Amino acid sequence: MAIAPTFYVIPGSTVQSVLDGNRNHIFDAVETAYRLHAAGDAVNPDSYFLRYPDKPSARIIALPAHLGGAIQKSGIKWISSFPENRAGNLARASAVLILNDPTTGYAVACIEASLISATRTAASAALAAEHISPAPFEGSLSIIGTGVIARTTVEWLLFRNWRFQKIRLYDLDHKEAEQFSKWLRDRHNCHADIQDRLEDAIGDASLVLFTTTTLAPYLADEKLFAHCPTILHLSLRDLCTNVILASQNIVDDAEHCLKANTSLHLTEMATGNRDFVSGNLVDVLEKKLKLDHNRPRIFSPFGLGILDIAVGNFVFETAIASNTAIALPNFFSNSARW
């Protein structure tokens, strides 16, 4: 008689342990996911947004995806963003990831995924940064928006041997910036200057990181980037159309990035074309795209569900191998047809 696969629950403590102890493997998993996607060996449908009329800043997003190759896993991440949580010292984002066996369709795991989500975002940003920035990986860093994604991205940049002579911080919530500065000092022995003006925060930074929660573009002065930095536009909605048009734009996937009123989407609507998008990250990895160091280079990643599957599957397999996944063998008690 056919038996349904064992279902596992993997809590955040286990996820954290796997992620912290396997950074090189995680980095490779992210790159592999991008390459499988570019080769057509992945499925990444549109994300689905649940929004609330009475809470316009809040949303829950479903990201379904499938990865082929040696991974062969399907799944969906269900991630919420409730910015008002921060007033009660509760994290803005929370998430779970369901992994499915693509042979039977049965779910095989439920994994705490806020850590996975932040990690895959940060690892992909670090991957892009080192391929679209001129070497050596040093200089000054500007961070616009000092939340969890910024913190995780900085950790990945430092892990990938970036060294910063100067770090500047800017956040509308000055206390958030102060906490970030303290974290940098205590955790990484790095000093950061908190700026009161956005233009001062950007300054002459060689690497600019946007990780805000803005819903609409606000930065319209392209002269702030006249020194041609690398820009990691992770929050996707900070830059106005004229800044986008003055830069070389690299995406993870154009079909996904040019939706949902992102800066790129608004630029497409303003111009009637996508000519301002130079290519995607795999084009850069495979040296099919020539980088223009005479313009700012903007990486705008939508955050593909395949990355969650790649990192989540690594966590899943590692947790099972180390006996740290919680097995629920009778979860599907009614799986037999007769």
Side-chain angles (χ1 to χ4, degrees), residues 26-101:
I26 298 300
F27 196 77
D28 291 344
V30 167
E31 181 173 346
T32 296
Y34 278 133
R35 291 185 181 276
L36 285 172
H37 182 57
D41 201 0
V43 183
N44 202 104
D46 286 344
S47 302
Y48 298 90
F49 289 72
L50 175 64
R51 298 189 182 276
Y52 301 85
D54 58 333
K55 292 184 291 187
S57 66
R59 64 185 187 272
I60 309 180
I61 312 172
L63 289 84
H66 169 76
L67 265 180
I71 297 172
Q72 294 299 327
K73 281 291 190 309
S74 304
I76 187 167
K77 181 177 71 175
W78 182 236
I79 181 167
S80 69
S81 174
F82 280 56
E84 293 181 6
N85 284 354
R86 293 177 298 185
N89 198 30
L90 189 65
R92 171 187 63 84
S94 62
V96 294
L97 174 67
I98 301 295
L99 288 182
N100 294 75
D101 172 7

Side-chain angles (χ1 to χ4, degrees), residues 225-281:
F225 305 112
H227 58 292
C228 304
T230 297
I231 301 171
L232 301 176
H233 190 202
L234 305 191
S235 37
L236 292 175
R237 294 173 177 84
D238 302 84
L239 306 176
C240 294
T241 292
N242 57 313
V243 177
I244 296 295
L245 292 176
S247 307
Q248 183 178 33
N249 292 280
I250 300 159
V251 299
D252 55 358
D253 183 287
E255 290 301 320
H256 289 82
C257 287
L258 276 72
K259 290 179 180 177
N261 289 328
T262 63
S263 293
L264 294 176
H265 186 205
L266 295 175
T267 302
E268 179 187 33
M269 290 190 286
T271 62
N273 62 67
R274 297 183 174 184
D275 296 345
F276 55 88
V277 176
S278 295
N280 61 47
L281 181 56

